[in-house]
Amino acid sequence: EVQLVESGGGLVQAGGSLRLSCTASGSQLNDYRIGWFRQAPGKEREGISCINNSDGRIDYADSVKGRFTISSGNAKNTVYLQMNSLELEDTAVYYCAAGRFLGRWSEDFLYEYWGQGTQVTVFS
């Protein structure tokens, strides 16, 4: 059993930066693919980034490429999402998720465990 908790969300001015953390308990994430998803008001949930701790593969959605960076801690029980150059369109609830199933990284049904989400609000 894996439990995930997100932290680091908050209110940030456009152009600013924020770092989200996803911490796992119950199991380390060495064999998991960890994804970050977000859901903005009036929009569907979208995958924005993923890191596969077993082979190191990293993926980003086009909307965040070049601005966001995903990384894993040394103990592999924490995954970070560094968000730079934040835009108003980045406002959303951000979720981390962990899964072990093969498939397209941005498909949310491939992820077995989910955190409760953390709110990110970007203002001008």
Short mmCIF file of all heavy atoms in Angstrom, two decimals, residues 58-101:
data_model
loop_
_atom_site.label_atom_id
_atom_site.label_comp_id
_atom_site.label_asym_id
_atom_site.label_seq_id
_atom_site.Cartn_x
_atom_site.Cartn_y
_atom_site.Cartn_z
N ILE A 58 11.74 10.49 -18.41
CA ILE A 58 11.01 11.68 -18.02
C ILE A 58 10.22 12.20 -19.21
O ILE A 58 10.73 12.24 -20.33
CB ILE A 58 11.98 12.76 -17.49
CG1 ILE A 58 12.58 12.33 -16.15
CG2 ILE A 58 11.27 14.10 -17.35
CD1 ILE A 58 13.63 13.26 -15.61
N ASP A 59 9.00 12.60 -18.96
CA ASP A 59 8.14 13.15 -19.99
C ASP A 59 7.49 14.43 -19.49
O ASP A 59 7.23 14.59 -18.29
CB ASP A 59 7.05 12.16 -20.41
CG ASP A 59 7.61 10.94 -21.11
OD1 ASP A 59 7.94 11.05 -22.31
OD2 ASP A 59 7.71 9.88 -20.46
N TYR A 60 7.21 15.34 -20.42
CA TYR A 60 6.52 16.58 -20.11
C TYR A 60 5.44 16.85 -21.15
O TYR A 60 5.60 16.53 -22.33
CB TYR A 60 7.47 17.77 -20.11
CG TYR A 60 8.55 17.73 -19.06
CD1 TYR A 60 9.83 17.32 -19.38
CD2 TYR A 60 8.28 18.14 -17.76
CE1 TYR A 60 10.83 17.29 -18.43
CE2 TYR A 60 9.28 18.11 -16.80
CZ TYR A 60 10.55 17.69 -17.13
OH TYR A 60 11.53 17.66 -16.18
N ALA A 61 4.36 17.44 -20.69
CA ALA A 61 3.39 17.97 -21.62
C ALA A 61 3.96 19.20 -22.31
O ALA A 61 4.78 19.93 -21.75
CB ALA A 61 2.09 18.33 -20.89
N ASP A 62 3.53 19.44 -23.54
CA ASP A 62 4.03 20.59 -24.29
C ASP A 62 3.75 21.90 -23.56
O ASP A 62 4.54 22.85 -23.67
CB ASP A 62 3.40 20.63 -25.68
CG ASP A 62 3.92 19.53 -26.59
OD1 ASP A 62 4.99 18.95 -26.29
OD2 ASP A 62 3.25 19.24 -27.60
N SER A 63 2.68 21.96 -22.82
CA SER A 63 2.29 23.20 -22.17
C SER A 63 3.24 23.62 -21.06
O SER A 63 3.26 24.80 -20.68
CB SER A 63 0.87 23.08 -21.60
OG SER A 63 0.78 22.01 -20.67
N VAL A 64 4.04 22.69 -20.53
CA VAL A 64 4.94 23.02 -19.43
C VAL A 64 6.40 22.78 -19.78
O VAL A 64 7.28 23.12 -18.97
CB VAL A 64 4.58 22.24 -18.16
CG1 VAL A 64 3.12 22.46 -17.79
CG2 VAL A 64 4.88 20.75 -18.33
N LYS A 65 6.68 22.24 -20.93
CA LYS A 65 8.05 21.93 -21.32
C LYS A 65 8.90 23.20 -21.34
O LYS A 65 8.50 24.22 -21.90
CB LYS A 65 8.05 21.24 -22.68
CG LYS A 65 9.37 20.58 -23.06
CD LYS A 65 9.23 19.78 -24.35
CE LYS A 65 8.22 18.66 -24.20
NZ LYS A 65 8.10 17.84 -25.44
N GLY A 66 10.06 23.11 -20.72
CA GLY A 66 10.94 24.26 -20.63
C GLY A 66 10.70 25.13 -19.42
O GLY A 66 11.55 25.97 -19.10
N ARG A 67 9.59 24.94 -18.73
CA ARG A 67 9.27 25.72 -17.54
C ARG A 67 9.25 24.87 -16.28
O ARG A 67 9.62 25.36 -15.21
CB ARG A 67 7.92 26.42 -17.70
CG ARG A 67 7.86 27.39 -18.86
CD ARG A 67 6.56 28.19 -18.84
NE ARG A 67 5.38 27.33 -18.97
CZ ARG A 67 4.40 27.24 -18.07
NH1 ARG A 67 4.46 27.97 -16.96
NH2 ARG A 67 3.37 26.45 -18.28
N PHE A 68 8.80 23.63 -16.39
CA PHE A 68 8.69 22.74 -15.24
C PHE A 68 9.76 21.67 -15.31
O PHE A 68 10.14 21.22 -16.40
CB PHE A 68 7.32 22.05 -15.21
CG PHE A 68 6.15 22.96 -14.93
CD1 PHE A 68 6.28 24.33 -14.88
CD2 PHE A 68 4.90 22.40 -14.70
CE1 PHE A 68 5.20 25.15 -14.62
CE2 PHE A 68 3.81 23.21 -14.44
CZ PHE A 68 3.96 24.58 -14.40
N THR A 69 10.23 21.23 -14.15
CA THR A 69 11.23 20.18 -14.06
C THR A 69 10.82 19.18 -12.99
O THR A 69 10.54 19.57 -11.86
CB THR A 69 12.62 20.74 -13.72
OG1 THR A 69 13.01 21.71 -14.70
CG2 THR A 69 13.66 19.62 -13.71
N ILE A 70 10.80 17.91 -13.36
CA ILE A 70 10.47 16.85 -12.41
C ILE A 70 11.76 16.16 -11.99
O ILE A 70 12.69 16.00 -12.77
CB ILE A 70 9.47 15.84 -13.03
CG1 ILE A 70 8.90 14.91 -11.96
CG2 ILE A 70 10.12 15.05 -14.16
CD1 ILE A 70 7.74 14.06 -12.47
N SER A 71 11.82 15.73 -10.73
CA SER A 71 13.00 15.05 -10.23
C SER A 71 12.62 14.19 -9.04
O SER A 71 11.58 14.39 -8.41
CB SER A 71 14.10 16.04 -9.82
OG SER A 71 13.66 16.90 -8.78
N SER A 72 13.48 13.21 -8.74
CA SER A 72 13.28 12.32 -7.60
C SER A 72 14.36 12.56 -6.56
O SER A 72 15.51 12.85 -6.90
CB SER A 72 13.33 10.86 -8.03
OG SER A 72 12.26 10.53 -8.89
N GLY A 73 13.99 12.43 -5.29
CA GLY A 73 14.96 12.50 -4.22
C GLY A 73 15.81 11.25 -4.18
O GLY A 73 15.51 10.24 -4.80
N ASN A 74 16.90 11.33 -3.40
CA ASN A 74 17.83 10.21 -3.33
C ASN A 74 17.19 8.94 -2.80
O ASN A 74 17.51 7.83 -3.25
CB ASN A 74 19.04 10.58 -2.47
CG ASN A 74 19.93 11.62 -3.11
OD1 ASN A 74 19.95 11.77 -4.33
ND2 ASN A 74 20.68 12.33 -2.29
N ALA A 75 16.30 9.07 -1.85
CA ALA A 75 15.65 7.91 -1.24
C ALA A 75 14.52 7.35 -2.09
O ALA A 75 13.96 6.31 -1.75
CB ALA A 75 15.13 8.26 0.15
N LYS A 76 14.17 8.03 -3.17
CA LYS A 76 13.13 7.60 -4.10
C LYS A 76 11.75 7.53 -3.47
O LYS A 76 10.84 6.88 -4.00
CB LYS A 76 13.48 6.25 -4.74
CG LYS A 76 14.77 6.25 -5.54
CD LYS A 76 14.68 7.20 -6.72
CE LYS A 76 15.86 7.05 -7.67
NZ LYS A 76 17.14 7.45 -7.03
N ASN A 77 11.58 8.17 -2.34
CA ASN A 77 10.25 8.26 -1.73
C ASN A 77 9.64 9.65 -1.89
O ASN A 77 8.54 9.89 -1.39
CB ASN A 77 10.29 7.86 -0.26
CG ASN A 77 11.06 8.85 0.59
OD1 ASN A 77 11.98 9.52 0.12
ND2 ASN A 77 10.69 8.94 1.86
N THR A 78 10.34 10.53 -2.57
CA THR A 78 9.85 11.88 -2.80
C THR A 78 10.12 12.28 -4.25
O THR A 78 11.20 12.02 -4.78
CB THR A 78 10.53 12.89 -1.86
OG1 THR A 78 10.30 12.51 -0.50
CG2 THR A 78 9.96 14.29 -2.07
N VAL A 79 9.14 12.90 -4.87
CA VAL A 79 9.27 13.43 -6.21
C VAL A 79 8.91 14.90 -6.18
O VAL A 79 7.94 15.30 -5.52
CB VAL A 79 8.38 12.67 -7.21
CG1 VAL A 79 8.40 13.34 -8.58
CG2 VAL A 79 8.85 11.22 -7.34
N TYR A 80 9.68 15.71 -6.89
CA TYR A 80 9.49 17.15 -6.90
C TYR A 80 9.05 17.62 -8.28
O TYR A 80 9.36 17.02 -9.30
CB TYR A 80 10.79 17.87 -6.54
CG TYR A 80 11.38 17.43 -5.22
CD1 TYR A 80 12.40 16.48 -5.17
CD2 TYR A 80 10.91 17.95 -4.02
CE1 TYR A 80 12.94 16.08 -3.96
CE2 TYR A 80 11.44 17.55 -2.81
CZ TYR A 80 12.46 16.62 -2.78
OH TYR A 80 12.99 16.21 -1.58
N LEU A 81 8.33 18.72 -8.28
CA LEU A 81 8.00 19.41 -9.51
C LEU A 81 8.36 20.88 -9.32
O LEU A 81 7.67 21.61 -8.60
CB LEU A 81 6.52 19.26 -9.86
CG LEU A 81 6.10 19.86 -11.19
CD1 LEU A 81 6.71 19.07 -12.35
CD2 LEU A 81 4.58 19.91 -11.32
N GLN A 82 9.45 21.29 -9.94
CA GLN A 82 9.88 22.68 -9.91
C GLN A 82 9.16 23.42 -11.02
O GLN A 82 9.30 23.06 -12.20
CB GLN A 82 11.39 22.78 -10.08
CG GLN A 82 11.92 24.21 -10.11
CD GLN A 82 11.76 24.91 -8.78
OE1 GLN A 82 12.07 24.35 -7.74
NE2 GLN A 82 11.28 26.15 -8.81
N MET A 83 8.42 24.45 -10.68
CA MET A 83 7.62 25.20 -11.63
C MET A 83 8.16 26.62 -11.71
O MET A 83 8.13 27.35 -10.71
CB MET A 83 6.15 25.20 -11.24
CG MET A 83 5.58 23.80 -11.02
SD MET A 83 3.78 23.80 -10.74
CE MET A 83 3.71 24.68 -9.17
N ASN A 84 8.65 27.00 -12.87
CA ASN A 84 9.17 28.33 -13.10
C ASN A 84 8.33 29.04 -14.16
O ASN A 84 7.58 28.41 -14.91
CB ASN A 84 10.63 28.27 -13.56
CG ASN A 84 11.55 27.66 -12.54
OD1 ASN A 84 11.36 27.82 -11.33
ND2 ASN A 84 12.58 26.97 -13.00
N SER A 85 8.47 30.34 -14.22
CA SER A 85 7.76 31.16 -15.20
C SER A 85 6.28 30.85 -15.21
O SER A 85 5.67 30.64 -16.26
CB SER A 85 8.37 30.96 -16.60
OG SER A 85 9.74 31.30 -16.61
N LEU A 86 5.70 30.83 -14.04
CA LEU A 86 4.30 30.44 -13.92
C LEU A 86 3.38 31.43 -14.62
O LEU A 86 3.62 32.64 -14.62
CB LEU A 86 3.91 30.31 -12.46
CG LEU A 86 4.44 29.04 -11.78
CD1 LEU A 86 4.39 29.17 -10.27
CD2 LEU A 86 3.62 27.83 -12.24
N GLU A 87 2.35 30.89 -15.22
CA GLU A 87 1.37 31.66 -15.97
C GLU A 87 -0.01 31.50 -15.34
O GLU A 87 -0.25 30.55 -14.59
CB GLU A 87 1.34 31.18 -17.43
CG GLU A 87 2.69 31.24 -18.12
CD GLU A 87 2.71 30.51 -19.45
OE1 GLU A 87 1.71 29.86 -19.80
OE2 GLU A 87 3.74 30.61 -20.15
N LEU A 88 -0.90 32.41 -15.68
CA LEU A 88 -2.25 32.34 -15.15
C LEU A 88 -2.90 30.99 -15.48
O LEU A 88 -3.66 30.45 -14.67
CB LEU A 88 -3.11 33.47 -15.70
CG LEU A 88 -2.70 34.89 -15.30
CD1 LEU A 88 -3.63 35.91 -15.96
CD2 LEU A 88 -2.73 35.06 -13.79
N GLU A 89 -2.59 30.46 -16.65
CA GLU A 89 -3.16 29.19 -17.09
C GLU A 89 -2.67 28.00 -16.28
O GLU A 89 -3.22 26.90 -16.42
CB GLU A 89 -2.88 28.97 -18.57
CG GLU A 89 -3.58 29.95 -19.50
CD GLU A 89 -2.94 31.33 -19.52
OE1 GLU A 89 -1.80 31.47 -19.04
OE2 GLU A 89 -3.60 32.27 -20.00
N ASP A 90 -1.65 28.18 -15.46
CA ASP A 90 -1.16 27.11 -14.60
C ASP A 90 -1.99 26.93 -13.34
O ASP A 90 -1.76 25.99 -12.59
CB ASP A 90 0.30 27.35 -14.22
CG ASP A 90 1.23 27.31 -15.41
OD1 ASP A 90 1.06 26.43 -16.28
OD2 ASP A 90 2.15 28.16 -15.48
N THR A 91 -2.91 27.82 -13.09
CA THR A 91 -3.76 27.71 -11.92
C THR A 91 -4.58 26.42 -11.99
O THR A 91 -5.29 26.18 -12.96
CB THR A 91 -4.70 28.91 -11.81
OG1 THR A 91 -3.93 30.10 -11.56
CG2 THR A 91 -5.69 28.73 -10.67
N ALA A 92 -4.46 25.59 -10.96
CA ALA A 92 -5.12 24.29 -10.95
C ALA A 92 -4.86 23.61 -9.63
O ALA A 92 -4.01 24.05 -8.84
CB ALA A 92 -4.61 23.40 -12.10
N VAL A 93 -5.58 22.53 -9.39
CA VAL A 93 -5.22 21.61 -8.34
C VAL A 93 -4.24 20.60 -8.93
O VAL A 93 -4.52 19.99 -9.96
CB VAL A 93 -6.46 20.89 -7.76
CG1 VAL A 93 -6.03 19.87 -6.70
CG2 VAL A 93 -7.43 21.89 -7.17
N TYR A 94 -3.11 20.44 -8.28
CA TYR A 94 -2.06 19.55 -8.76
C TYR A 94 -2.05 18.28 -7.94
O TYR A 94 -2.07 18.32 -6.70
CB TYR A 94 -0.70 20.24 -8.68
CG TYR A 94 -0.49 21.26 -9.77
CD1 TYR A 94 -1.18 22.46 -9.76
CD2 TYR A 94 0.39 21.01 -10.82
CE1 TYR A 94 -1.01 23.39 -10.76
CE2 TYR A 94 0.57 21.94 -11.83
CZ TYR A 94 -0.13 23.13 -11.80
OH TYR A 94 0.05 24.06 -12.79
N TYR A 95 -2.00 17.15 -8.63
CA TYR A 95 -2.00 15.84 -8.01
C TYR A 95 -0.75 15.07 -8.41
O TYR A 95 -0.30 15.15 -9.55
CB TYR A 95 -3.21 15.01 -8.47
CG TYR A 95 -4.55 15.62 -8.20
CD1 TYR A 95 -5.14 16.47 -9.12
CD2 TYR A 95 -5.25 15.32 -7.03
CE1 TYR A 95 -6.39 17.02 -8.88
CE2 TYR A 95 -6.49 15.87 -6.79
CZ TYR A 95 -7.06 16.72 -7.72
OH TYR A 95 -8.30 17.26 -7.48
N CYS A 96 -0.21 14.30 -7.47
CA CYS A 96 0.79 13.31 -7.84
C CYS A 96 0.15 11.93 -7.79
O CYS A 96 -0.81 11.70 -7.05
CB CYS A 96 2.04 13.38 -6.96
SG CYS A 96 1.83 12.87 -5.25
N ALA A 97 0.67 11.04 -8.60
CA ALA A 97 0.13 9.70 -8.71
C ALA A 97 1.25 8.72 -8.98
O ALA A 97 2.26 9.07 -9.60
CB ALA A 97 -0.92 9.62 -9.83
N ALA A 98 1.08 7.49 -8.53
CA ALA A 98 2.08 6.44 -8.70
C ALA A 98 1.44 5.20 -9.31
O ALA A 98 0.34 4.81 -8.93
CB ALA A 98 2.74 6.09 -7.37
N GLY A 99 2.15 4.59 -10.25
CA GLY A 99 1.66 3.39 -10.88
C GLY A 99 2.78 2.53 -11.40
O GLY A 99 3.91 2.99 -11.57
N ARG A 100 2.47 1.28 -11.69
CA ARG A 100 3.45 0.33 -12.19
C ARG A 100 3.06 -0.29 -13.52
O ARG A 100 3.74 -1.18 -14.01
CB ARG A 100 3.67 -0.80 -11.16
CG ARG A 100 4.35 -0.34 -9.87
CD ARG A 100 4.36 -1.45 -8.83
NE ARG A 100 3.02 -1.71 -8.33
CZ ARG A 100 2.72 -2.63 -7.42
NH1 ARG A 100 3.69 -3.39 -6.93
NH2 ARG A 100 1.47 -2.80 -7.01
N PHE A 101 1.99 0.18 -14.12
CA PHE A 101 1.50 -0.42 -15.34
C PHE A 101 2.08 0.27 -16.56
O PHE A 101 2.26 1.49 -16.58
CB PHE A 101 -0.02 -0.36 -15.40
CG PHE A 101 -0.69 -1.09 -14.27
CD1 PHE A 101 -1.36 -0.40 -13.27
CD2 PHE A 101 -0.64 -2.47 -14.21
CE1 PHE A 101 -1.97 -1.06 -12.23
CE2 PHE A 101 -1.25 -3.15 -13.17
CZ PHE A 101 -1.92 -2.46 -12.18
#
